Amino acid sequence: MQEGAPAKKKRTLIVVPICCAIAALIAVSFFYITSTPYYSLYMFKKAIVNRDAKGVLKYLDTDSILDNMAKDVFSRMDKKEPPRNKFEEHMQNAGKDLVSQLLPQLKKQMGEAITNLLLSYNDEALFGKLKRATIFGLSVTVEGNTALVRQRGKDTVSFTMAKAPEGHWRITSFNNDELKLLGK
């Protein structure tokens, strides 16, 4: 009978470390997966499907999105032909000033607008497509704390993400040309 006790002790000494190693591997894997842009995109999609505005806003940096849209508008204005006279120059500057003054108000209202949109939008066909959509149809390139997201097979960046201090990723800007394609 005493010969069985050392064998049981040996098995315990082998099984316990293996179980601890497996538990540690699972924990590390979980923390790694939840810190990837893919996981944040999955949670973003899930929040939209569940009409969880607070969850959607967790993964959308609306301030950065609006700032980047304003920068894009300003750069497009600057790339177009230069003003032909002082009046056009003053009008362009007035437009830039107006956008700069409206931006803080837009930032304040964006969260409420997204909430209202999610609660009032009733296109079940679109939500059905979104439920079936997979995040693996996207290609994500991480460069430090920035991620460039493309549709697989396309060269154009659809949107960018940045890593939040809390560890998840947030969408910070959209490619306006890609957004135009969604409207078609």
Side-chain angles (χ1 to χ4, degrees):
M1 214 165 223
Q2 289 186 359
E3 289 180 24
K8 190 174 183 180
K9 191 175 182 181
K10 269 187 180 178
R11 269 188 267 139
T12 303
L13 287 175
I14 293 172
V15 171
V16 169
I18 289 174
C19 289
C20 289
I22 290 171
L25 182 64
I26 290 170
V28 168
S29 298
F30 173 78
F31 287 115
Y32 171 74
I33 289 169
T34 58
S35 68
T36 64
Y38 281 110
Y39 183 78
S40 292
L41 288 169
Y42 168 75
M43 294 304 291
F44 176 63
K45 178 189 115 169
K46 187 175 173 184
I48 291 172
V49 169
N50 294 333
R51 298 175 189 242
D52 174 14
K54 188 175 179 181
V56 168
L57 292 171
K58 178 179 178 180
Y59 298 101
L60 272 181
D61 187 349
T62 55
D63 289 353
S64 292
I65 290 169
L66 289 172
D67 287 338
N68 286 320
M69 285 180 161
K71 284 180 197 172
D72 189 49
V73 167
F74 292 156
S75 69
R76 286 178 191 242
M77 286 173 67
D78 292 339
K79 286 181 184 176
K80 287 187 176 184
E81 62 185 67
R84 292 175 291 213
N85 54 44
K86 285 288 186 189
F87 178 73
E88 280 187 8
E89 183 179 344
H90 289 299
M91 291 307 289
Q92 281 184 352
N93 290 335
K96 288 180 183 179
D97 289 342
L98 181 64
V99 169
S100 297
Q101 290 175 3
L102 288 176
L103 211 50
Q105 292 300 326
L106 290 172
K107 288 178 181 180
K108 287 180 187 176
Q109 296 172 351
M110 188 67 138
E112 186 178 326
I114 289 173
T115 302
N116 291 337
L117 175 67
L118 280 174
L119 295 176
S120 66
Y121 197 74
N122 289 324
D123 188 350
E124 292 305 321
L126 181 64
F127 277 104
K129 287 180 184 177
L130 186 58
K131 284 179 187 177
R132 291 186 305 276
T134 177
I135 57 168
F136 296 109
L138 300 172
S139 171
V140 178
T141 306
V142 178
E143 297 173 355
N145 286 336
T146 304
L148 306 174
V149 183
R150 299 172 175 80
Q151 288 182 348
R152 288 219 185 267
K154 287 192 174 184
D155 293 335
T156 309
V157 172
S158 298
F159 55 92
T160 58
M161 300 176 80
K163 191 162 191 170
E166 300 85 23
H168 61 274
W169 291 79
R170 301 182 79 194
I171 297 172
T172 56
S173 69
F174 290 101
N175 179 334
N176 289 334
D177 295 331
E178 292 286 309
L179 287 176
K180 289 176 191 172
L181 292 175
L182 289 176
K184 290 182 180 180

